Amino acid sequence: MADLSVPKTDSIRADLITLLTTKGLYPSYLNQFISCSMRFYFSRIVNIAEEEEIEEKMGAAEFGSWLHKVLERLDVEYYLKGNPVDESVVKTLLEEEFAVSMKGRVIESGMNLLLYDLARKLMLDFHRQQSELTGLHVIGTEQTLETFLTVPLHDGRSIRVRIAGKIDRIERLGDRIRIVDYKTGKVD
C-alpha cells in the first residue's frame, strides 16, 4: 500500500501560515501532527472532521471529557463564586453531565456502570482531598494563554506564530499560584 501524501503547494502553505498566525498552535494540534500528520492536515487545514461513532459503552476520551466538564462546572459554579461544595453537589453534577455528555447511554449495568462508579469514586476522592487543603482558592478556570514567536520562512520572510494553550485551573494555595491540568492531574 502506498503512503498517502499531500504536495506542498503554495495554496497549502498559505493555509498553514494562516492557521499558525490566526488560530495558532495548541498542544493538541502538535500532538495530532506528531501522531499523524495526515490527520492534522485533514482536520486543521482542510477542515474535514472525522465521523463520530456512537457506541453503547463510553470510551476513554468520552470518560475524560465528562469528568473534565464536571470539574469545570465545580470551579465555575461553586469554587469561583465561593459557594459550598459537598458530596451531593459532586454527585448531582456527575449525573447532569452524564446525561448531557453520554447521549442517552444507560448506566444500569455493564461497563458503563463500572465506569460511572469509578468516576464517582474519583470525583469524591478529589473533592475530599481538596477539602483537606487549608487555604486553597480557585482563582481562574479555562483561560487561554498565548504568546507569539517570530519564525523565519525559507523564502526570507518571517511570520508571527501564535502559540496558545488553555489552562484548566489556576489556584492559590497559601502564597503559591498553581496551574492544574485535569487530564494529567499535573499541578505546577
Side-chain angles (χ1 to χ4, degrees), residues 25-27 142-147 162-168:
L25 280 180
Y26 282 79
E142 297 299 316
Q143 292 185 8
T144 300
L145 297 183
E146 66 181 12
T147 191
R162 179 178 182 253
I163 307 290
K166 191 175 263 190
I167 294 176
D168 293 330

Side-chain angles (χ1 to χ4, degrees), residues 136-158:
L136 177 70
H137 300 284
V138 176
I139 58 175
T141 184
E142 297 299 316
Q143 292 185 8
T144 300
L145 297 183
E146 66 181 12
T147 191
F148 291 87
L149 299 175
T150 301
V151 177
L153 299 178
H154 70 283
D155 63 3
R157 294 181 301 138
S158 293

